[in-house]
Amino acid sequence: MSKRNRTSYKTKKTVGEELGYTGIAISNGKVREESIIPLRGPKKIKLLEEMVKFDSTIGAFNNMYQSTASSVKWSIKPKDDTAEAKKIADFIDQCLFQDLNHSFQEVIANALTASQYGFAIIEPVYKVRNGENKDKDKSSKFDDGLIGLAKLASRYQGSITKWNYDENYRNIISVSQKDPNKFEEKEIPYEKLLHFKHRSFNNNPEGVSLYLNCVTPYLKKKRTSLNEDIRYERGFDGLLDIQAPAPILDPTTKNPAYLQTQKWIKDTAQNIRAGTDVAIAHPEYIKVGIISSGAGNIPDADKIIAREDRNISVALLSDFFLTAQKSGISGSFSQSKIKIFTNLVKEMLDEIKRVINFKLIPTLLEKNLIDLSLMPTIEFSEIGDLDLTNLMLFIQSADKSGLVPPTLGMCNAILKRLLGNDTPTITQEEFDNYQRRREVNTWAYGSEELAEKTADSAVNPDEAEPIEDDEQKKEDEDK
């Protein structure tokens, strides 16, 4: 045996020693990284929810993002082609796709919320597979005594109150969650949870929301819309000018009459509305008027809102939907933007796959004492760029084509995108018949019976009977 190196012990002693810190600011279990105040704590979750629910641009993008990500197919891939590896892969397939008390698609939908909020928490709930049971969380389609999954329960981001770290703030030990119904706080061990993050930097547990860059234009847009509503609601442009003697407006006065007058002035300035307060009654010693802002000083709210909508679209890289509104933009430019969009979706799907493969599947195998060297993996199908291209063209040409896709392939792609992959495929004959019905001559418009006969003759010209025009027939009779 060769002689040991004298420094080997000292070297081994320092192996794995971590000296630095992540640098992330944690205060009482809360991340303090955002400089924008509305993006701190629970306000962040509420604001992001508000943006998705009430902003048409962000909401449309979110629906498209979720729809595209949800359309991929998931499957279990065995480690190799041996019978034992395939058996283990079948077990994982049963746990994820067959024996949950909810659909696996619901799991993906909950995990995808990480793109909206920056992170998503899912708690696996296990069960012993002992066949049917009245208790839904204990019932199983299998009766082999193995430990399977009852459900993958989502934990709402707004209910997460603390990230509990170790003494060096390097590793998360547990997560604190507050029940909004009982107002009780429970601590869940971090090792028990599946933690999905969207673009986490410096090991930030809250990740980065996909809509973070939309916050500033959204708040500007919201403020502009609110100011415009107030202006229309009050029915005037300018400031309400209320004049009163100095003693009445003295903020330090204790005179009950003066205090009551101050309250009247404040309420009048805040609550005057067109349609409710068409006139103001006031004492002689108080003067009420309007200081006009001037026609040239009133900003165009529509232009501001349109500009912020554009900024939101650019921030989301979804401005390829607006390319039809500009001339001189090549199709290759739109195609590159679509490719970037598919990469955004794929980035989140890769994160979901990573967490399941490195956390959930190994835990299931360990609980059942199964060899990890034959561990299978979960995979997802590729996202079809062609479908997204057709979706873009479909939206851009909606007004011109009457909401009917111009080709059979596009029609089937859109139907499957909107209604799911189980949608029956439209045949070429059915599509041609429909197109012929749309091309019926406008002379049949206004006569339901004549329109129906004309449409039938367009679809089946060999079986159609001659159609007579009532006006032409009347002219012939007159002659």
Side-chain angles (χ1 to χ4, degrees):
M1 182 180 293
S2 61
K3 187 177 180 181
R4 266 188 202 195
N5 193 317
R6 295 180 181 179
T7 61
S8 61
Y9 176 76
K10 294 181 180 180
T11 303
K12 290 180 180 179
K13 187 177 180 181
T14 59
V15 168
E17 184 179 357
E18 187 175 357
L19 299 177
Y21 302 94
T22 61
I24 187 172
I26 303 291
S27 176
N28 194 27
K30 296 178 174 59
V31 179
R32 303 293 185 185
E33 288 290 296
E34 298 294 346
S35 58
I36 303 177
I37 294 178
L39 289 179
R40 294 180 182 175
K43 293 181 180 179
K44 172 184 177 180
I45 304 300
K46 297 299 180 183
L47 177 60
L48 293 171
E49 281 183 353
E50 177 186 315
M51 291 167 59
V52 172
K53 287 182 179 179
F54 301 114
D55 186 88
S56 57
T57 305
I58 300 175
F61 177 87
N62 186 70
N63 290 337
M64 183 179 65
Y65 183 96
Q66 297 284 340
S67 175
T68 304
S70 300
S71 65
V72 301
K73 295 182 179 180
W74 296 83
S75 60
I76 302 300
K77 181 181 178 182
K79 178 69 175 180
D80 50 46
D81 294 332
T82 61
E84 186 64 22
K86 291 180 179 179
K87 182 179 178 181
I88 296 174
D90 288 341
F91 167 69
I92 299 297
D93 185 277
Q94 293 169 3
C95 291
L96 292 178
F97 302 136
Q98 303 177 44
D99 206 25
L100 290 173
N101 61 14
H102 53 77
S103 67
F104 184 73
Q105 202 63 29
E106 183 179 336
V107 179
I108 299 301
N110 290 329
L112 284 173
T113 59
S115 62
Q116 177 179 342
Y117 299 108
F119 72 97
I121 297 291
I122 290 181
E123 180 182 353
V125 180
Y126 300 93
K127 65 183 177 185
V128 180
R129 309 202 311 180
N130 286 332
E132 299 292 335
N133 193 298
K134 292 182 179 180
D135 188 344
K136 185 179 180 181
D137 290 338
K138 295 181 179 179
S139 182
S140 174
K141 297 178 181 178
F142 305 93
D143 191 10
D144 51 17
L146 295 175
I147 297 176
L149 285 170
K151 58 184 176 181
L152 294 170
S154 175
R155 300 295 175 243
Y156 173 54
Q157 289 86 345
S159 65
I160 304 299
T161 57
K162 292 180 182 179
W163 304 94
N164 302 310
Y165 279 79
D166 58 16
E167 58 182 5
N168 293 319
Y169 290 94
R170 292 195 182 104
N171 301 306
I172 302 175
I173 299 175
S174 62
V175 173
S176 297
Q177 183 189 24
K178 190 172 184 179
D179 185 352
N181 302 307
K182 299 180 180 178
F183 301 101
E184 297 177 353
E185 194 168 87
K186 181 165 288 189
E187 195 170 316
I188 309 173
Y190 185 72
E191 288 299 319
K192 192 179 188 302
L193 301 173
L194 302 180
H195 186 191
F196 304 91
K197 293 181 286 186
H198 181 263
R199 293 185 179 179
S200 175
F201 299 103
N202 294 330
N203 202 24
N204 187 339
E206 295 186 352
V208 178
S209 171
L210 184 62
Y211 307 118
L212 178 64
N213 294 331
C214 301
V215 171
T216 300
Y218 171 76
L219 293 177
K220 288 183 180 179
K221 177 182 173 182
K222 179 183 177 182
R223 186 164 54 249
T224 302
S225 299
L226 181 60
N227 291 338
E228 185 183 29
D229 291 342
I230 292 174
R231 194 175 73 202
Y232 290 156
E233 191 177 44
R234 297 197 174 193
F236 55 82
D237 294 317
L239 296 174
L240 192 64
D241 180 26
I242 302 179
Q243 299 179 11
I248 294 179
L249 300 179
D250 184 5
T252 61
T253 184
K254 297 182 180 180
N255 189 317
Y258 291 172
L259 292 174
Q260 187 174 2
T261 305
Q262 288 181 5
K263 184 178 184 304
W264 176 88
I265 292 174
K266 183 178 180 180
D267 292 342
T268 300
Q270 290 182 344
N271 300 325
I272 184 171
R273 299 289 186 272
T276 57
D277 296 327
V278 294
I280 301 175
H282 56 85
E284 292 180 347
Y285 54 84
I286 294 179
K287 296 180 180 180
V288 180
I290 295 176
I291 301 177
S292 177
S293 59
N297 296 326
I298 302 174
D300 190 340
D302 290 340
K303 289 184 179 180
I304 297 176
I305 292 174
R307 181 189 67 194
E308 300 308 330
D309 273 336
R310 178 70 184 184
N311 290 338
I312 290 173
S313 296
V314 172
L316 293 173
L317 298 174
S318 63
D319 52 333
F320 57 80
F321 282 110
L322 307 177
T323 55
Q325 300 176 9
K326 286 192 173 184
S327 58
I329 298 180
S330 64
S332 60
F333 179 80
S334 297
Q335 289 288 345
S336 63
K337 287 296 184 73
I338 294 173
K339 187 63 178 178
I340 293 174
F341 173 78
T342 59
N343 288 338
L344 283 177
V345 177
K346 187 175 182 297
E347 181 182 356
M348 192 65 240
L349 294 176
D350 284 334
E351 169 67 5
I352 296 174
K353 182 177 79 170
R354 182 191 66 82
V355 174
I356 293 178
N357 284 334
F358 287 91
K359 186 75 177 286
L360 181 60
I361 294 179
T363 302
L364 269 171
L365 298 185
E366 288 175 350
K367 288 181 178 294
N368 290 282
L369 304 179
I370 297 176
D371 186 7
L372 293 181
S373 63
L374 296 177
M375 182 180 71
T377 57
I378 190 170
E379 306 291 340
F380 60 88
S381 61
E382 291 296 326
I383 303 171
D385 292 341
L386 180 60
D387 289 347
L388 287 172
T389 305
N390 288 337
L391 180 61
M392 181 198 69
L393 295 175
F394 171 76
I395 294 175
Q396 290 183 351
S397 62
D399 293 336
K400 299 179 181 179
S401 62
L403 295 178
V404 178
T407 65
L408 174 63
M410 188 184 297
C411 181
N412 281 321
I414 296 301
L415 289 176
K416 289 185 181 298
R417 176 70 63 193
L418 296 177
L419 305 178
N421 293 324
D422 296 332
T423 305
T425 302
I426 297 177
T427 64
Q428 185 66 49
E429 181 181 0
E430 292 172 337
F431 183 79
D432 291 341
N433 290 345
Y434 186 78
Q435 290 290 80
R436 290 194 189 101
R437 287 180 181 272
R438 292 183 60 245
E439 295 170 0
V440 171
N441 292 334
T442 55
W443 63 271
Y445 180 78
S447 173
E448 183 177 352
E449 181 180 357
L450 186 58
E452 185 177 355
K453 290 180 180 179
T454 308
D456 290 337
S457 66
V459 175
N460 301 308
D462 298 334
E463 303 176 3
E465 298 180 357
I467 301 176
E468 298 182 357
D469 187 349
D470 292 340
E471 293 184 1
Q472 184 65 36
K473 183 178 180 181
K474 185 176 182 182
E475 290 179 3
D476 293 341
E477 290 177 352
D478 294 340
K479 291 180 180 180

